[in-house]
Amino acid sequence: MIYLELFLAFFKIGIFGFGGGYAMLSLIQSEVVVSHGWITSSEFADIVAISQMTPGPISINCATYIGYTASGGSVLGSALATLGVCAPSLIFMLIASLFYAKLNGNPYIKNVMRSMRPVIIGLIAAAALILMNRENFVDYRSILIFVAALAAVWFKVNPLIVISLSGVVGFFLF
């Protein structure tokens, strides 16, 4: 029964989790700590910290770990919680893709998609500006790394190389 409960709880989180992984955290906390009591508030805080440090989306990392913990160490519980949180997005994108494929030549749809491009760029730029604060730019060394990374990406250097080199430079500078 726990497997079905895990899947349904995380499916509900996936449906209503607009705004990305960080926006889902309050839903996850409400569902797994308050509603079901699968983990404690302290455990949830630890899971969030671990999920931030591991690669991948925070909501998927949380679902995977909570599914494992709530099911008593079962990989199946982990897999079902992860599937539950991912399934709504997958279903929505499959449906949207079908409509987009059928309406791709439609001039109205082309205009809508074209008008969305500046909005998407604006949202990405806003997120970047929000991250430009004293916590992320502690001194001139941080600014130099930022400018060098921006220039490298501008000149089409592979982002994996940029990230790796930034980490090495940061290791030696800080």
Side-chain angles (χ1 to χ4, degrees), residues 124-163:
I124 293 169
L129 290 173
I130 288 170
L131 292 173
M132 290 184 181
N133 55 37
R134 289 197 180 276
E135 289 80 27
N136 291 325
F137 292 95
V138 292
D139 60 18
Y140 73 94
R141 297 175 291 186
S142 327
I143 296 169
L144 288 175
I145 292 171
F146 168 75
V147 170
L150 183 64
V153 172
W154 182 266
F155 289 108
K156 308 237 185 290
V157 175
N158 186 321
L160 295 175
I161 294 171
V162 174
I163 291 168

PDB file of all heavy atoms in Angstrom, residues 124-163:
ATOM      1  N   ILE A 124      14.895  34.206 -17.820  1.00  0.00           N
ATOM      2  CA  ILE A 124      16.244  33.706 -17.551  1.00  0.00           C
ATOM      3  C   ILE A 124      17.133  34.844 -17.064  1.00  0.00           C
ATOM      4  O   ILE A 124      17.905  34.690 -16.104  1.00  0.00           O
ATOM      5  CB  ILE A 124      16.829  33.014 -18.804  1.00  0.00           C
ATOM      6  CG1 ILE A 124      16.041  31.741 -19.111  1.00  0.00           C
ATOM      7  CG2 ILE A 124      18.315  32.708 -18.611  1.00  0.00           C
ATOM      8  CD1 ILE A 124      16.363  31.123 -20.459  1.00  0.00           C
ATOM      9  N   ALA A 125      17.022  36.008 -17.709  1.00  0.00           N
ATOM     10  CA  ALA A 125      17.825  37.167 -17.291  1.00  0.00           C
ATOM     11  C   ALA A 125      17.452  37.602 -15.871  1.00  0.00           C
ATOM     12  O   ALA A 125      18.323  37.942 -15.067  1.00  0.00           O
ATOM     13  CB  ALA A 125      17.633  38.322 -18.271  1.00  0.00           C
ATOM     14  N   ALA A 126      16.158  37.568 -15.549  1.00  0.00           N
ATOM     15  CA  ALA A 126      15.722  37.937 -14.198  1.00  0.00           C
ATOM     16  C   ALA A 126      16.301  36.980 -13.161  1.00  0.00           C
ATOM     17  O   ALA A 126      16.757  37.414 -12.095  1.00  0.00           O
ATOM     18  CB  ALA A 126      14.195  37.946 -14.119  1.00  0.00           C
ATOM     19  N   ALA A 127      16.308  35.694 -13.473  1.00  0.00           N
ATOM     20  CA  ALA A 127      16.896  34.716 -12.553  1.00  0.00           C
ATOM     21  C   ALA A 127      18.388  34.982 -12.374  1.00  0.00           C
ATOM     22  O   ALA A 127      18.912  34.906 -11.254  1.00  0.00           O
ATOM     23  CB  ALA A 127      16.670  33.298 -13.069  1.00  0.00           C
ATOM     24  N   ALA A 128      19.075  35.327 -13.454  1.00  0.00           N
ATOM     25  CA  ALA A 128      20.507  35.640 -13.358  1.00  0.00           C
ATOM     26  C   ALA A 128      20.735  36.883 -12.510  1.00  0.00           C
ATOM     27  O   ALA A 128      21.644  36.918 -11.673  1.00  0.00           O
ATOM     28  CB  ALA A 128      21.094  35.831 -14.757  1.00  0.00           C
ATOM     29  N   LEU A 129      19.911  37.899 -12.696  1.00  0.00           N
ATOM     30  CA  LEU A 129      20.062  39.131 -11.914  1.00  0.00           C
ATOM     31  C   LEU A 129      19.799  38.904 -10.433  1.00  0.00           C
ATOM     32  O   LEU A 129      20.454  39.500  -9.575  1.00  0.00           O
ATOM     33  CB  LEU A 129      19.140  40.226 -12.464  1.00  0.00           C
ATOM     34  CG  LEU A 129      19.538  40.778 -13.838  1.00  0.00           C
ATOM     35  CD1 LEU A 129      18.465  41.728 -14.353  1.00  0.00           C
ATOM     36  CD2 LEU A 129      20.889  41.476 -13.764  1.00  0.00           C
ATOM     37  N   ILE A 130      18.850  38.043 -10.138  1.00  0.00           N
ATOM     38  CA  ILE A 130      18.553  37.733  -8.735  1.00  0.00           C
ATOM     39  C   ILE A 130      19.763  37.075  -8.075  1.00  0.00           C
ATOM     40  O   ILE A 130      20.054  37.304  -6.900  1.00  0.00           O
ATOM     41  CB  ILE A 130      17.301  36.831  -8.637  1.00  0.00           C
ATOM     42  CG1 ILE A 130      16.056  37.652  -8.971  1.00  0.00           C
ATOM     43  CG2 ILE A 130      17.170  36.196  -7.263  1.00  0.00           C
ATOM     44  CD1 ILE A 130      14.806  36.828  -9.150  1.00  0.00           C
ATOM     45  N   LEU A 131      20.505  36.282  -8.831  1.00  0.00           N
ATOM     46  CA  LEU A 131      21.675  35.586  -8.291  1.00  0.00           C
ATOM     47  C   LEU A 131      22.903  36.490  -8.179  1.00  0.00           C
ATOM     48  O   LEU A 131      23.888  36.109  -7.559  1.00  0.00           O
ATOM     49  CB  LEU A 131      22.007  34.370  -9.148  1.00  0.00           C
ATOM     50  CG  LEU A 131      20.983  33.243  -9.093  1.00  0.00           C
ATOM     51  CD1 LEU A 131      21.323  32.165 -10.107  1.00  0.00           C
ATOM     52  CD2 LEU A 131      20.910  32.658  -7.697  1.00  0.00           C
ATOM     53  N   MET A 132      22.841  37.674  -8.768  1.00  0.00           N
ATOM     54  CA  MET A 132      23.973  38.605  -8.681  1.00  0.00           C
ATOM     55  C   MET A 132      23.855  39.410  -7.389  1.00  0.00           C
ATOM     56  O   MET A 132      23.354  40.522  -7.366  1.00  0.00           O
ATOM     57  CB  MET A 132      24.005  39.510  -9.904  1.00  0.00           C
ATOM     58  CG  MET A 132      24.372  38.789 -11.152  1.00  0.00           C
ATOM     59  SD  MET A 132      24.512  39.923 -12.520  1.00  0.00           S
ATOM     60  CE  MET A 132      24.918  38.811 -13.823  1.00  0.00           C
ATOM     61  N   ASN A 133      24.341  38.816  -6.316  1.00  0.00           N
ATOM     62  CA  ASN A 133      24.275  39.459  -5.007  1.00  0.00           C
ATOM     63  C   ASN A 133      25.585  39.251  -4.260  1.00  0.00           C
ATOM     64  O   ASN A 133      26.491  38.590  -4.734  1.00  0.00           O
ATOM     65  CB  ASN A 133      23.089  38.910  -4.205  1.00  0.00           C
ATOM     66  CG  ASN A 133      23.127  37.403  -4.094  1.00  0.00           C
ATOM     67  OD1 ASN A 133      24.187  36.806  -3.962  1.00  0.00           O
ATOM     68  ND2 ASN A 133      21.978  36.768  -4.161  1.00  0.00           N
ATOM     69  N   ARG A 134      25.686  39.809  -3.077  1.00  0.00           N
ATOM     70  CA  ARG A 134      26.927  39.739  -2.293  1.00  0.00           C
ATOM     71  C   ARG A 134      27.292  38.313  -1.880  1.00  0.00           C
ATOM     72  O   ARG A 134      28.454  38.015  -1.683  1.00  0.00           O
ATOM     73  CB  ARG A 134      26.822  40.622  -1.063  1.00  0.00           C
ATOM     74  CG  ARG A 134      26.850  42.089  -1.393  1.00  0.00           C
ATOM     75  CD  ARG A 134      27.164  42.889  -0.129  1.00  0.00           C
ATOM     76  NE  ARG A 134      27.195  44.302  -0.393  1.00  0.00           N
ATOM     77  CZ  ARG A 134      28.249  44.953  -0.855  1.00  0.00           C
ATOM     78  NH1 ARG A 134      29.364  44.303  -1.118  1.00  0.00           N
ATOM     79  NH2 ARG A 134      28.193  46.242  -1.057  1.00  0.00           N
ATOM     80  N   GLU A 135      26.298  37.437  -1.750  1.00  0.00           N
ATOM     81  CA  GLU A 135      26.597  36.061  -1.367  1.00  0.00           C
ATOM     82  C   GLU A 135      27.319  35.307  -2.485  1.00  0.00           C
ATOM     83  O   GLU A 135      28.120  34.425  -2.231  1.00  0.00           O
ATOM     84  CB  GLU A 135      25.316  35.307  -0.988  1.00  0.00           C
ATOM     85  CG  GLU A 135      24.708  35.747   0.323  1.00  0.00           C
ATOM     86  CD  GLU A 135      23.895  37.032   0.218  1.00  0.00           C
ATOM     87  OE1 GLU A 135      23.373  37.309  -0.877  1.00  0.00           O
ATOM     88  OE2 GLU A 135      23.806  37.755   1.214  1.00  0.00           O
ATOM     89  N   ASN A 136      27.028  35.651  -3.736  1.00  0.00           N
ATOM     90  CA  ASN A 136      27.644  34.961  -4.868  1.00  0.00           C
ATOM     91  C   ASN A 136      28.875  35.682  -5.407  1.00  0.00           C
ATOM     92  O   ASN A 136      29.710  35.075  -6.057  1.00  0.00           O
ATOM     93  CB  ASN A 136      26.633  34.771  -5.995  1.00  0.00           C
ATOM     94  CG  ASN A 136      25.557  33.781  -5.610  1.00  0.00           C
ATOM     95  OD1 ASN A 136      25.820  32.822  -4.901  1.00  0.00           O
ATOM     96  ND2 ASN A 136      24.344  34.019  -6.044  1.00  0.00           N
ATOM     97  N   PHE A 137      28.970  36.976  -5.180  1.00  0.00           N
ATOM     98  CA  PHE A 137      30.115  37.761  -5.631  1.00  0.00           C
ATOM     99  C   PHE A 137      30.772  38.375  -4.402  1.00  0.00           C
ATOM    100  O   PHE A 137      30.552  39.533  -4.068  1.00  0.00           O
ATOM    101  CB  PHE A 137      29.670  38.850  -6.615  1.00  0.00           C
ATOM    102  CG  PHE A 137      29.185  38.282  -7.919  1.00  0.00           C
ATOM    103  CD1 PHE A 137      27.838  38.049  -8.125  1.00  0.00           C
ATOM    104  CD2 PHE A 137      30.070  37.963  -8.932  1.00  0.00           C
ATOM    105  CE1 PHE A 137      27.382  37.514  -9.320  1.00  0.00           C
ATOM    106  CE2 PHE A 137      29.623  37.422 -10.129  1.00  0.00           C
ATOM    107  CZ  PHE A 137      28.274  37.200 -10.326  1.00  0.00           C
ATOM    108  N   VAL A 138      31.601  37.573  -3.738  1.00  0.00           N
ATOM    109  CA  VAL A 138      32.161  37.988  -2.458  1.00  0.00           C
ATOM    110  C   VAL A 138      33.271  39.018  -2.605  1.00  0.00           C
ATOM    111  O   VAL A 138      33.461  39.845  -1.723  1.00  0.00           O
ATOM    112  CB  VAL A 138      32.665  36.779  -1.634  1.00  0.00           C
ATOM    113  CG1 VAL A 138      31.503  35.926  -1.179  1.00  0.00           C
ATOM    114  CG2 VAL A 138      33.655  35.957  -2.429  1.00  0.00           C
ATOM    115  N   ASP A 139      34.024  38.983  -3.692  1.00  0.00           N
ATOM    116  CA  ASP A 139      35.079  39.969  -3.924  1.00  0.00           C
ATOM    117  C   ASP A 139      35.432  39.991  -5.408  1.00  0.00           C
ATOM    118  O   ASP A 139      34.746  39.376  -6.225  1.00  0.00           O
ATOM    119  CB  ASP A 139      36.295  39.683  -3.048  1.00  0.00           C
ATOM    120  CG  ASP A 139      36.916  38.313  -3.310  1.00  0.00           C
ATOM    121  OD1 ASP A 139      36.649  37.722  -4.367  1.00  0.00           O
ATOM    122  OD2 ASP A 139      37.664  37.837  -2.449  1.00  0.00           O
ATOM    123  N   TYR A 140      36.510  40.684  -5.737  1.00  0.00           N
ATOM    124  CA  TYR A 140      36.883  40.844  -7.141  1.00  0.00           C
ATOM    125  C   TYR A 140      37.206  39.517  -7.817  1.00  0.00           C
ATOM    126  O   TYR A 140      37.020  39.365  -9.023  1.00  0.00           O
ATOM    127  CB  TYR A 140      38.069  41.812  -7.268  1.00  0.00           C
ATOM    128  CG  TYR A 140      39.381  41.215  -6.807  1.00  0.00           C
ATOM    129  CD1 TYR A 140      40.233  40.607  -7.720  1.00  0.00           C
ATOM    130  CD2 TYR A 140      39.760  41.248  -5.470  1.00  0.00           C
ATOM    131  CE1 TYR A 140      41.417  40.035  -7.314  1.00  0.00           C
ATOM    132  CE2 TYR A 140      40.949  40.683  -5.057  1.00  0.00           C
ATOM    133  CZ  TYR A 140      41.775  40.082  -5.981  1.00  0.00           C
ATOM    134  OH  TYR A 140      42.945  39.519  -5.572  1.00  0.00           O
ATOM    135  N   ARG A 141      37.687  38.509  -7.059  1.00  0.00           N
ATOM    136  CA  ARG A 141      38.013  37.212  -7.651  1.00  0.00           C
ATOM    137  C   ARG A 141      36.769  36.540  -8.222  1.00  0.00           C
ATOM    138  O   ARG A 141      36.808  35.941  -9.297  1.00  0.00           O
ATOM    139  CB  ARG A 141      38.690  36.306  -6.629  1.00  0.00           C
ATOM    140  CG  ARG A 141      40.036  36.852  -6.149  1.00  0.00           C
ATOM    141  CD  ARG A 141      40.616  36.011  -5.058  1.00  0.00           C
ATOM    142  NE  ARG A 141      39.785  36.171  -3.860  1.00  0.00           N
ATOM    143  CZ  ARG A 141      40.075  35.658  -2.680  1.00  0.00           C
ATOM    144  NH1 ARG A 141      41.151  34.929  -2.520  1.00  0.00           N
ATOM    145  NH2 ARG A 141      39.292  35.847  -1.640  1.00  0.00           N
ATOM    146  N   SER A 142      35.647  36.647  -7.504  1.00  0.00           N
ATOM    147  CA  SER A 142      34.388  36.075  -7.998  1.00  0.00           C
ATOM    148  C   SER A 142      33.958  36.764  -9.280  1.00  0.00           C
ATOM    149  O   SER A 142      33.480  36.113 -10.216  1.00  0.00           O
ATOM    150  CB  SER A 142      33.258  36.242  -6.989  1.00  0.00           C
ATOM    151  OG  SER A 142      33.675  36.196  -5.692  1.00  0.00           O
ATOM    152  N   ILE A 143      34.127  38.072  -9.324  1.00  0.00           N
ATOM    153  CA  ILE A 143      33.741  38.833 -10.512  1.00  0.00           C
ATOM    154  C   ILE A 143      34.620  38.431 -11.697  1.00  0.00           C
ATOM    155  O   ILE A 143      34.126  38.276 -12.818  1.00  0.00           O
ATOM    156  CB  ILE A 143      33.798  40.348 -10.232  1.00  0.00           C
ATOM    157  CG1 ILE A 143      32.758  40.704  -9.170  1.00  0.00           C
ATOM    158  CG2 ILE A 143      33.583  41.160 -11.502  1.00  0.00           C
ATOM    159  CD1 ILE A 143      32.873  42.098  -8.604  1.00  0.00           C
ATOM    160  N   LEU A 144      35.913  38.236 -11.452  1.00  0.00           N
ATOM    161  CA  LEU A 144      36.816  37.810 -12.530  1.00  0.00           C
ATOM    162  C   LEU A 144      36.433  36.433 -13.068  1.00  0.00           C
ATOM    163  O   LEU A 144      36.433  36.212 -14.286  1.00  0.00           O
ATOM    164  CB  LEU A 144      38.263  37.796 -12.034  1.00  0.00           C
ATOM    165  CG  LEU A 144      38.908  39.156 -11.796  1.00  0.00           C
ATOM    166  CD1 LEU A 144      40.305  38.987 -11.200  1.00  0.00           C
ATOM    167  CD2 LEU A 144      38.975  39.956 -13.087  1.00  0.00           C
ATOM    168  N   ILE A 145      36.103  35.507 -12.183  1.00  0.00           N
ATOM    169  CA  ILE A 145      35.674  34.175 -12.623  1.00  0.00           C
ATOM    170  C   ILE A 145      34.384  34.290 -13.437  1.00  0.00           C
ATOM    171  O   ILE A 145      34.238  33.655 -14.489  1.00  0.00           O
ATOM    172  CB  ILE A 145      35.492  33.228 -11.416  1.00  0.00           C
ATOM    173  CG1 ILE A 145      36.853  32.919 -10.782  1.00  0.00           C
ATOM    174  CG2 ILE A 145      34.801  31.936 -11.837  1.00  0.00           C
ATOM    175  CD1 ILE A 145      36.756  32.163  -9.468  1.00  0.00           C
ATOM    176  N   PHE A 146      33.442  35.115 -12.971  1.00  0.00           N
ATOM    177  CA  PHE A 146      32.181  35.316 -13.690  1.00  0.00           C
ATOM    178  C   PHE A 146      32.438  35.867 -15.092  1.00  0.00           C
ATOM    179  O   PHE A 146      31.907  35.354 -16.079  1.00  0.00           O
ATOM    180  CB  PHE A 146      31.276  36.266 -12.898  1.00  0.00           C
ATOM    181  CG  PHE A 146      30.092  36.760 -13.675  1.00  0.00           C
ATOM    182  CD1 PHE A 146      29.010  35.942 -13.914  1.00  0.00           C
ATOM    183  CD2 PHE A 146      30.066  38.051 -14.191  1.00  0.00           C
ATOM    184  CE1 PHE A 146      27.916  36.385 -14.639  1.00  0.00           C
ATOM    185  CE2 PHE A 146      28.986  38.511 -14.912  1.00  0.00           C
ATOM    186  CZ  PHE A 146      27.911  37.677 -15.137  1.00  0.00           C
ATOM    187  N   VAL A 147      33.244  36.906 -15.194  1.00  0.00           N
ATOM    188  CA  VAL A 147      33.513  37.542 -16.491  1.00  0.00           C
ATOM    189  C   VAL A 147      34.230  36.561 -17.419  1.00  0.00           C
ATOM    190  O   VAL A 147      33.887  36.456 -18.607  1.00  0.00           O
ATOM    191  CB  VAL A 147      34.325  38.845 -16.299  1.00  0.00           C
ATOM    192  CG1 VAL A 147      34.818  39.388 -17.627  1.00  0.00           C
ATOM    193  CG2 VAL A 147      33.476  39.896 -15.585  1.00  0.00           C
ATOM    194  N   ALA A 148      35.193  35.820 -16.887  1.00  0.00           N
ATOM    195  CA  ALA A 148      35.909  34.845 -17.714  1.00  0.00           C
ATOM    196  C   ALA A 148      34.960  33.746 -18.205  1.00  0.00           C
ATOM    197  O   ALA A 148      35.013  33.343 -19.372  1.00  0.00           O
ATOM    198  CB  ALA A 148      37.069  34.242 -16.923  1.00  0.00           C
ATOM    199  N   ALA A 149      34.090  33.255 -17.313  1.00  0.00           N
ATOM    200  CA  ALA A 149      33.144  32.209 -17.703  1.00  0.00           C
ATOM    201  C   ALA A 149      32.153  32.735 -18.742  1.00  0.00           C
ATOM    202  O   ALA A 149      31.839  32.045 -19.724  1.00  0.00           O
ATOM    203  CB  ALA A 149      32.400  31.690 -16.479  1.00  0.00           C
ATOM    204  N   LEU A 150      31.667  33.951 -18.537  1.00  0.00           N
ATOM    205  CA  LEU A 150      30.736  34.559 -19.496  1.00  0.00           C
ATOM    206  C   LEU A 150      31.392  34.710 -20.862  1.00  0.00           C
ATOM    207  O   LEU A 150      30.800  34.368 -21.888  1.00  0.00           O
ATOM    208  CB  LEU A 150      30.244  35.910 -18.966  1.00  0.00           C
ATOM    209  CG  LEU A 150      29.211  36.634 -19.807  1.00  0.00           C
ATOM    210  CD1 LEU A 150      27.915  35.827 -19.869  1.00  0.00           C
ATOM    211  CD2 LEU A 150      28.938  38.013 -19.226  1.00  0.00           C
ATOM    212  N   ALA A 151      32.636  35.181 -20.875  1.00  0.00           N
ATOM    213  CA  ALA A 151      33.353  35.344 -22.143  1.00  0.00           C
ATOM    214  C   ALA A 151      33.577  33.988 -22.818  1.00  0.00           C
ATOM    215  O   ALA A 151      33.406  33.863 -24.038  1.00  0.00           O
ATOM    216  CB  ALA A 151      34.686  36.048 -21.902  1.00  0.00           C
ATOM    217  N   ALA A 152      33.950  32.988 -22.038  1.00  0.00           N
ATOM    218  CA  ALA A 152      34.197  31.663 -22.617  1.00  0.00           C
ATOM    219  C   ALA A 152      32.934  31.098 -23.261  1.00  0.00           C
ATOM    220  O   ALA A 152      32.977  30.575 -24.378  1.00  0.00           O
ATOM    221  CB  ALA A 152      34.722  30.720 -21.532  1.00  0.00           C
ATOM    222  N   VAL A 153      31.821  31.223 -22.566  1.00  0.00           N
ATOM    223  CA  VAL A 153      30.559  30.727 -23.124  1.00  0.00           C
ATOM    224  C   VAL A 153      30.164  31.548 -24.353  1.00  0.00           C
ATOM    225  O   VAL A 153      29.658  31.006 -25.342  1.00  0.00           O
ATOM    226  CB  VAL A 153      29.448  30.723 -22.047  1.00  0.00           C
ATOM    227  CG1 VAL A 153      28.103  30.400 -22.652  1.00  0.00           C
ATOM    228  CG2 VAL A 153      29.781  29.724 -20.951  1.00  0.00           C
ATOM    229  N   TRP A 154      30.393  32.845 -24.313  1.00  0.00           N
ATOM    230  CA  TRP A 154      30.091  33.716 -25.452  1.00  0.00           C
ATOM    231  C   TRP A 154      30.859  33.264 -26.691  1.00  0.00           C
ATOM    232  O   TRP A 154      30.344  33.288 -27.804  1.00  0.00           O
ATOM    233  CB  TRP A 154      30.439  35.161 -25.101  1.00  0.00           C
ATOM    234  CG  TRP A 154      30.111  36.127 -26.191  1.00  0.00           C
ATOM    235  CD1 TRP A 154      30.947  36.582 -27.178  1.00  0.00           C
ATOM    236  CD2 TRP A 154      28.853  36.746 -26.431  1.00  0.00           C
ATOM    237  NE1 TRP A 154      30.287  37.442 -27.999  1.00  0.00           N
ATOM    238  CE2 TRP A 154      28.990  37.568 -27.564  1.00  0.00           C
ATOM    239  CE3 TRP A 154      27.631  36.690 -25.787  1.00  0.00           C
ATOM    240  CZ2 TRP A 154      27.948  38.320 -28.059  1.00  0.00           C
ATOM    241  CZ3 TRP A 154      26.592  37.455 -26.293  1.00  0.00           C
ATOM    242  CH2 TRP A 154      26.753  38.249 -27.415  1.00  0.00           C
ATOM    243  N   PHE A 155      32.119  32.810 -26.481  1.00  0.00           N
ATOM    244  CA  PHE A 155      32.947  32.349 -27.593  1.00  0.00           C
ATOM    245  C   PHE A 155      32.798  30.849 -27.842  1.00  0.00           C
ATOM    246  O   PHE A 155      33.653  30.216 -28.437  1.00  0.00           O
ATOM    247  CB  PHE A 155      34.412  32.736 -27.368  1.00  0.00           C
ATOM    248  CG  PHE A 155      34.648  34.213 -27.528  1.00  0.00           C
ATOM    249  CD1 PHE A 155      34.902  35.007 -26.421  1.00  0.00           C
ATOM    250  CD2 PHE A 155      34.587  34.817 -28.778  1.00  0.00           C
ATOM    251  CE1 PHE A 155      35.102  36.365 -26.553  1.00  0.00           C
ATOM    252  CE2 PHE A 155      34.782  36.175 -28.926  1.00  0.00           C
ATOM    253  CZ  PHE A 155      35.047  36.955 -27.801  1.00  0.00           C
ATOM    254  N   LYS A 156      31.709  30.284 -27.337  1.00  0.00           N
ATOM    255  CA  LYS A 156      31.284  28.914 -27.620  1.00  0.00           C
ATOM    256  C   LYS A 156      32.226  27.828 -27.083  1.00  0.00           C
ATOM    257  O   LYS A 156      32.370  26.767 -27.676  1.00  0.00           O
ATOM    258  CB  LYS A 156      31.056  28.716 -29.119  1.00  0.00           C
ATOM    259  CG  LYS A 156      30.137  29.745 -29.748  1.00  0.00           C
ATOM    260  CD  LYS A 156      28.979  29.103 -30.415  1.00  0.00           C
ATOM    261  CE  LYS A 156      28.118  30.083 -31.159  1.00  0.00           C
ATOM    262  NZ  LYS A 156      27.365  30.992 -30.374  1.00  0.00           N
ATOM    263  N   VAL A 157      32.871  28.104 -25.937  1.00  0.00           N
ATOM    264  CA  VAL A 157      33.640  27.064 -25.261  1.00  0.00           C
ATOM    265  C   VAL A 157      32.635  26.121 -24.602  1.00  0.00           C
ATOM    266  O   VAL A 157      31.625  26.563 -24.053  1.00  0.00           O
ATOM    267  CB  VAL A 157      34.598  27.677 -24.213  1.00  0.00           C
ATOM    268  CG1 VAL A 157      35.315  26.594 -23.425  1.00  0.00           C
ATOM    269  CG2 VAL A 157      35.596  28.606 -24.890  1.00  0.00           C
ATOM    270  N   ASN A 158      32.896  24.842 -24.647  1.00  0.00           N
ATOM    271  CA  ASN A 158      31.998  23.839 -24.063  1.00  0.00           C
ATOM    272  C   ASN A 158      31.733  24.175 -22.590  1.00  0.00           C
ATOM    273  O   ASN A 158      32.672  24.362 -21.812  1.00  0.00           O
ATOM    274  CB  ASN A 158      32.658  22.460 -24.185  1.00  0.00           C
ATOM    275  CG  ASN A 158      31.751  21.347 -23.731  1.00  0.00           C
ATOM    276  OD1 ASN A 158      31.013  21.472 -22.763  1.00  0.00           O
ATOM    277  ND2 ASN A 158      31.813  20.241 -24.447  1.00  0.00           N
ATOM    278  N   PRO A 159      30.441  24.247 -22.185  1.00  0.00           N
ATOM    279  CA  PRO A 159      30.109  24.589 -20.795  1.00  0.00           C
ATOM    280  C   PRO A 159      30.721  23.649 -19.762  1.00  0.00           C
ATOM    281  O   PRO A 159      31.052  24.071 -18.653  1.00  0.00           O
ATOM    282  CB  PRO A 159      28.581  24.516 -20.759  1.00  0.00           C
ATOM    283  CG  PRO A 159      28.152  24.695 -22.167  1.00  0.00           C
ATOM    284  CD  PRO A 159      29.246  24.133 -23.016  1.00  0.00           C
ATOM    285  N   LEU A 160      30.895  22.372 -20.099  1.00  0.00           N
ATOM    286  CA  LEU A 160      31.526  21.443 -19.159  1.00  0.00           C
ATOM    287  C   LEU A 160      32.967  21.850 -18.872  1.00  0.00           C
ATOM    288  O   LEU A 160      33.443  21.755 -17.739  1.00  0.00           O
ATOM    289  CB  LEU A 160      31.471  20.013 -19.696  1.00  0.00           C
ATOM    290  CG  LEU A 160      30.065  19.414 -19.845  1.00  0.00           C
ATOM    291  CD1 LEU A 160      30.141  18.042 -20.497  1.00  0.00           C
ATOM    292  CD2 LEU A 160      29.386  19.336 -18.501  1.00  0.00           C
ATOM    293  N   ILE A 161      33.655  22.319 -19.896  1.00  0.00           N
ATOM    294  CA  ILE A 161      35.030  22.791 -19.713  1.00  0.00           C
ATOM    295  C   ILE A 161      35.030  24.060 -18.865  1.00  0.00           C
ATOM    296  O   ILE A 161      35.858  24.213 -17.960  1.00  0.00           O
ATOM    297  CB  ILE A 161      35.705  23.026 -21.084  1.00  0.00           C
ATOM    298  CG1 ILE A 161      35.875  21.690 -21.813  1.00  0.00           C
ATOM    299  CG2 ILE A 161      37.038  23.745 -20.930  1.00  0.00           C
ATOM    300  CD1 ILE A 161      36.316  21.809 -23.252  1.00  0.00           C
ATOM    301  N   VAL A 162      34.087  24.954 -19.137  1.00  0.00           N
ATOM    302  CA  VAL A 162      34.002  26.208 -18.378  1.00  0.00           C
ATOM    303  C   VAL A 162      33.742  25.927 -16.896  1.00  0.00           C
ATOM    304  O   VAL A 162      34.405  26.494 -16.018  1.00  0.00           O
ATOM    305  CB  VAL A 162      32.901  27.134 -18.956  1.00  0.00           C
ATOM    306  CG1 VAL A 162      32.715  28.368 -18.097  1.00  0.00           C
ATOM    307  CG2 VAL A 162      33.236  27.522 -20.385  1.00  0.00           C
ATOM    308  N   ILE A 163      32.820  25.034 -16.616  1.00  0.00           N
ATOM    309  CA  ILE A 163      32.496  24.693 -15.224  1.00  0.00           C
ATOM    310  C   ILE A 163      33.710  24.057 -14.544  1.00  0.00           C
ATOM    311  O   ILE A 163      34.074  24.422 -13.418  1.00  0.00           O
ATOM    312  CB  ILE A 163      31.271  23.759 -15.161  1.00  0.00           C
ATOM    313  CG1 ILE A 163      30.018  24.513 -15.579  1.00  0.00           C
ATOM    314  CG2 ILE A 163      31.092  23.183 -13.757  1.00  0.00           C
ATOM    315  CD1 ILE A 163      28.806  23.627 -15.826  1.00  0.00           C
TER     316      ILE A 163
END
